[in-house]
Coordinates of all heavy atoms in Angstrom, one line a residue:
L156 N -6.0 9.1 10.8 CA -4.9 9.4 11.6 C -5.1 9.1 13.1 O -6.2 9.3 13.6 CB -4.6 10.9 11.5 CG -3.2 11.4 12.2 CD1 -2.1 10.8 11.3 CD2 -3.2 12.9 12.1
Y157 N -4.2 8.4 13.7 CA -4.2 8.0 15.1 C -3.0 8.6 15.8 O -2.0 8.8 15.2 CB -4.2 6.5 15.2 CG -5.3 5.7 14.5 CD1 -5.2 5.4 13.1 CD2 -6.4 5.2 15.2 CE1 -6.1 4.7 12.5 CE2 -7.4 4.5 14.5 CZ -7.3 4.3 13.3 OH -8.3 3.5 12.6
Y158 N -3.1 8.7 17.2 CA -2.0 9.1 18.0 C -2.0 8.4 19.4 O -3.2 7.9 19.7 CB -1.9 10.6 18.2 CG -3.0 11.2 19.1 CD1 -2.8 11.4 20.4 CD2 -4.3 11.6 18.6 CE1 -3.8 11.8 21.3 CE2 -5.2 12.0 19.4 CZ -5.0 12.2 20.7 OH -6.0 12.6 21.6
K159 N -1.0 8.3 20.0 CA -0.9 7.8 21.4 C 0.2 8.4 22.2 O 1.2 8.9 21.6 CB -0.9 6.3 21.3 CG 0.5 5.7 20.9 CD 0.5 4.1 21.1 CE 1.9 3.6 20.5 NZ 1.9 2.0 20.7
V160 N 0.0 8.3 23.4 CA 1.1 8.8 24.3 C 1.8 7.6 25.0 O 1.0 6.7 25.6 CB 0.5 9.7 25.4 CG1 1.6 10.1 26.4 CG2 -0.1 10.9 24.8
G161 N 3.1 7.5 24.9 CA 3.8 6.4 25.4 C 3.3 5.0 25.0 O 3.1 4.8 23.7
N162 N 3.0 4.1 25.9 CA 2.5 2.8 25.5 C 1.0 2.7 25.6 O 0.4 1.6 25.8 CB 3.1 1.7 26.5 CG 4.6 1.6 26.2 OD1 5.1 1.6 25.2 ND2 5.3 1.4 27.4
G163 N 0.3 3.9 25.6 CA -1.2 3.9 25.6 C -1.8 3.4 24.4 O -1.2 2.9 23.5
D164 N -3.1 3.3 24.4 CA -3.9 2.9 23.2 C -3.8 3.9 22.1 O -3.8 5.2 22.4 CB -5.3 2.6 23.7 CG -5.4 1.5 24.7 OD1 -4.5 0.6 24.6 OD2 -6.3 1.5 25.5
W165 N -4.0 3.5 20.9 CA -4.3 4.4 19.8 C -5.5 5.0 19.9 O -6.6 4.4 20.1 CB -4.0 3.6 18.5 CG -2.6 3.1 18.1 CD1 -2.2 1.9 18.2 CD2 -1.6 4.0 17.7 NE1 -0.8 1.9 17.8 CE2 -0.4 3.1 17.6 CE3 -1.4 5.3 17.5 CZ2 0.8 3.6 17.1 CZ3 -0.2 5.9 17.1 CH2 0.9 4.9 16.9
T166 N -5.5 6.4 19.7 CA -6.7 7.1 19.6 C -7.0 7.7 18.3 O -6.1 8.3 17.7 CB -6.6 8.3 20.6 OG1 -6.5 7.8 21.9 CG2 -7.9 9.1 20.7
K167 N -8.2 7.5 17.7 CA -8.5 8.1 16.3 C -8.5 9.6 16.5 O -9.2 10.1 17.4 CB -9.9 7.6 15.9 CG -10.5 8.2 14.6 CD -11.8 7.8 14.4 CE -12.4 8.7 13.2 NZ -13.8 8.4 13.0
N168 N -7.9 10.3 15.5 CA -7.9 11.7 15.6 C -8.9 12.3 14.6 O -9.8 13.0 14.9 CB -6.5 12.3 15.3 CG -6.5 13.8 15.4 OD1 -6.3 14.5 14.3 ND2 -6.6 14.4 16.5
N169 N -8.6 12.0 13.2 CA -9.5 12.4 12.2 C -9.3 11.8 11.0 O -8.3 11.0 10.7 CB -9.2 14.0 12.0 CG -10.4 14.7 11.6 OD1 -11.4 14.2 11.2 ND2 -10.3 16.1 11.6
D170 N -10.3 11.9 10.1 CA -10.2 11.3 8.6 C -10.0 12.5 7.7 O -10.5 13.7 7.9 CB -11.5 10.6 8.3 CG -11.6 9.4 9.0 OD1 -10.8 8.9 9.7 OD2 -12.7 8.8 9.0
T171 N -9.1 12.4 6.6 CA -8.9 13.4 5.7 C -8.6 12.7 4.4 O -8.2 11.6 4.2 CB -7.7 14.2 6.1 OG1 -7.4 15.2 5.1 CG2 -6.4 13.4 6.4
V172 N -8.9 13.5 3.2 CA -8.6 13.1 1.9 C -7.2 13.5 1.5 O -6.7 13.2 0.4 CB -9.6 13.6 0.9 CG1 -11.0 13.0 1.1 CG2 -9.7 15.1 0.9
N173 N -6.6 14.4 2.3 CA -5.2 14.9 2.0 C -4.2 13.9 2.5 O -4.5 13.0 3.2 CB -5.1 16.2 2.6 CG -6.1 17.2 2.1 OD1 -6.4 17.3 0.9 ND2 -6.8 18.1 3.0
T174 N -2.9 14.2 2.2 CA -1.8 13.4 2.6 C -1.0 14.2 3.7 O 0.2 13.8 4.0 CB -0.9 13.0 1.5 OG1 -0.5 14.2 0.8 CG2 -1.6 12.1 0.5
S175 N -1.7 15.1 4.4 CA -1.0 15.7 5.6 C -2.1 16.2 6.5 O -3.3 16.5 6.0 CB -0.2 16.9 5.1 OG -0.9 17.9 4.6
Y176 N -1.9 16.4 7.8 CA -2.9 16.8 8.7 C -2.1 17.3 9.9 O -1.1 16.7 10.4 CB -3.8 15.6 9.0 CG -5.0 16.1 9.9 CD1 -6.1 16.7 9.3 CD2 -5.1 16.0 11.3 CE1 -7.2 17.2 10.0 CE2 -6.1 16.4 12.0 CZ -7.2 17.1 11.4 OH -8.2 17.5 12.1
T177 N -2.7 18.3 10.5 CA -2.1 18.9 11.8 C -3.0 18.5 13.0 O -4.2 18.9 13.0 CB -2.1 20.5 11.6 OG1 -1.2 20.9 10.6 CG2 -1.5 21.1 13.0
V178 N -2.4 17.8 13.9 CA -3.2 17.3 15.0 C -3.0 18.4 16.1 O -2.0 18.8 16.5 CB -2.5 16.0 15.7 CG1 -3.3 15.6 16.8 CG2 -2.5 15.0 14.5
K179 N -4.1 18.9 16.6 CA -4.1 20.1 17.5 C -4.6 19.6 18.9 O -4.9 18.4 19.0 CB -5.2 21.1 17.0 CG -4.8 21.7 15.6 CD -5.8 22.7 15.1 CE -5.6 23.1 13.8 NZ -6.6 24.1 13.3
G180 N -4.5 20.5 19.9 CA -5.0 20.1 21.2 C -4.0 19.3 22.0 O -4.3 18.6 22.9
L181 N -2.7 19.3 21.6 CA -1.7 18.4 22.3 C -1.1 19.2 23.4 O -1.1 20.4 23.5 CB -0.6 18.0 21.3 CG -1.1 17.3 20.0 CD1 0.1 17.0 19.0 CD2 -1.9 16.0 20.4
R182 N -0.4 18.5 24.3 CA 0.3 19.1 25.5 C 1.7 19.3 25.2 O 2.4 18.4 24.8 CB 0.1 18.2 26.7 CG -1.4 18.2 27.3 CD -1.5 17.2 28.4 NE -1.3 15.9 28.0 CZ -0.8 15.0 28.8 NH1 -0.4 15.2 30.0 NH2 -0.7 13.7 28.4
S183 N 2.2 20.5 25.4 CA 3.7 20.8 25.1 C 4.5 20.0 26.1 O 4.2 19.9 27.3 CB 3.9 22.4 25.3 OG 5.1 22.7 24.8
G184 N 5.6 19.5 25.5 CA 6.6 18.8 26.3 C 6.3 17.3 26.4 O 7.0 16.6 27.0
V185 N 5.2 16.8 25.8 CA 4.8 15.5 25.7 C 5.2 14.8 24.4 O 5.0 15.4 23.4 CB 3.3 15.3 26.0 CG1 2.8 13.8 26.0 CG2 2.9 15.9 27.4
K186 N 5.7 13.5 24.6 CA 6.1 12.7 23.4 C 4.8 12.0 22.9 O 4.2 11.3 23.6 CB 7.2 11.8 23.7 CG 7.8 11.0 22.4 CD 8.9 10.2 22.9 CE 9.5 9.5 21.6 NZ 10.7 8.7 22.0
Y187 N 4.6 12.1 21.6 CA 3.4 11.5 20.9 C 3.9 10.6 19.7 O 4.9 10.9 19.1 CB 2.4 12.5 20.3 CG 1.7 13.3 21.4 CD1 2.3 14.6 21.9 CD2 0.4 13.0 21.8 CE1 1.6 15.2 22.9 CE2 -0.3 13.7 22.8 CZ 0.3 14.9 23.3 OH -0.4 15.6 24.2
S188 N 3.2 9.5 19.5 CA 3.4 8.6 18.3 C 2.2 8.9 17.5 O 1.0 8.9 17.9 CB 3.6 7.2 18.8 OG 4.8 7.1 19.6
F189 N 2.4 8.7 16.2 CA 1.3 8.9 15.2 C 1.5 7.7 14.2 O 2.5 7.2 13.8 CB 1.5 10.3 14.4 CG 1.4 11.4 15.4 CD1 2.6 11.9 15.9 CD2 0.2 12.0 15.7 CE1 2.5 12.9 16.8 CE2 0.2 13.1 16.6 CZ 1.4 13.6 17.1
C190 N 0.3 7.4 13.6 CA 0.2 6.4 12.6 C -1.1 6.7 11.7 O -1.8 7.5 12.0 CB 0.2 4.9 13.0 SG -1.3 4.4 13.7
V191 N -1.0 6.1 10.5 CA -2.1 6.4 9.5 C -2.4 5.1 8.8 O -1.6 4.3 8.7 CB -1.6 7.4 8.4 CG1 -2.6 7.8 7.4 CG2 -0.9 8.7 9.0
R192 N -3.8 5.1 8.5 CA -4.3 3.9 7.7 C -5.3 4.4 6.7 O -5.9 5.4 7.0 CB -4.7 2.8 8.6 CG -6.0 3.0 9.4 CD -6.2 2.0 10.5 NE -6.0 0.7 10.0 CZ -6.1 -0.4 10.8 NH1 -6.4 -0.3 12.0 NH2 -6.0 -1.7 10.4
C193 N -5.6 3.6 5.7 CA -6.5 4.0 4.6 C -7.9 3.5 5.1 O -8.1 2.4 5.7 CB -6.2 3.3 3.3 SG -4.6 3.8 2.7
V194 N -8.9 4.3 4.8 CA -10.3 3.9 5.1 C -11.2 4.3 3.8 O -10.7 5.0 2.9 CB -10.9 4.6 6.3 CG1 -10.2 4.3 7.6 CG2 -10.9 6.2 6.0
N195 N -12.3 3.7 3.7 CA -13.2 3.9 2.6 C -13.7 5.4 2.7 O -13.6 6.1 3.8 CB -14.3 2.9 2.4 CG -15.3 3.0 3.6 OD1 -15.1 3.6 4.6 ND2 -16.5 2.4 3.4
S196 N -14.4 5.9 1.6 CA -14.8 7.3 1.6 C -15.8 7.6 2.7 O -15.9 8.8 3.2 CB -15.4 7.6 0.3 OG -16.5 6.8 0.0
A197 N -16.7 6.6 3.1 CA -17.6 6.8 4.2 C -17.0 6.8 5.6 O -17.6 7.1 6.5 CB -18.7 5.8 4.1
G198 N -15.8 6.3 5.6 CA -15.1 6.1 6.9 C -15.6 5.0 7.7 O -15.3 4.9 9.0
T199 N -16.3 4.1 7.1 CA -16.9 3.0 7.9 C -16.0 1.6 7.8 O -16.2 0.8 8.6 CB -18.3 2.6 7.2 OG1 -18.1 2.3 5.8 CG2 -19.2 3.8 7.5
T200 N -15.1 1.6 6.9 CA -14.3 0.4 6.6 C -12.8 0.7 6.6 O -12.4 1.5 5.7 CB -14.7 -0.3 5.4 OG1 -16.1 -0.6 5.4 CG2 -14.0 -1.7 5.2
V201 N -12.0 0.1 7.4 CA -10.5 0.2 7.3 C -10.0 -0.7 6.2 O -10.3 -1.9 6.1 CB -9.9 -0.1 8.6 CG1 -8.3 -0.1 8.4 CG2 -10.3 0.8 9.7

């Protein structure tokens, strides 16, 4: 899972085997964008 603020760079948040995830530590009142991609089980290859 990745997120970014505005036109900033994508920041890696976390890897998960599930199809949902809660991103924490965000600032209230700020607009965030999120995207997801598949990686291998070791997390070394997209």
Side-chain angles (χ1 to χ4, degrees):
L156 190 66
Y157 301 82
Y158 71 91
K159 69 176 180 178
V160 177
N162 295 321
D164 296 330
W165 287 107
T166 299
K167 173 187 170 183
N168 180 254
N169 210 347
D170 293 349
T171 177
V172 297
N173 301 313
T174 55
S175 68
Y176 189 79
T177 299
V178 182
K179 302 176 183 178
L181 304 178
R182 290 177 291 151
S183 189
V185 175
K186 185 176 182 180
Y187 292 87
S188 297
F189 301 89
C190 72
V191 185
R192 65 194 316 178
C193 302
V194 297
N195 66 345
S196 59
T199 56
T200 306
V201 174

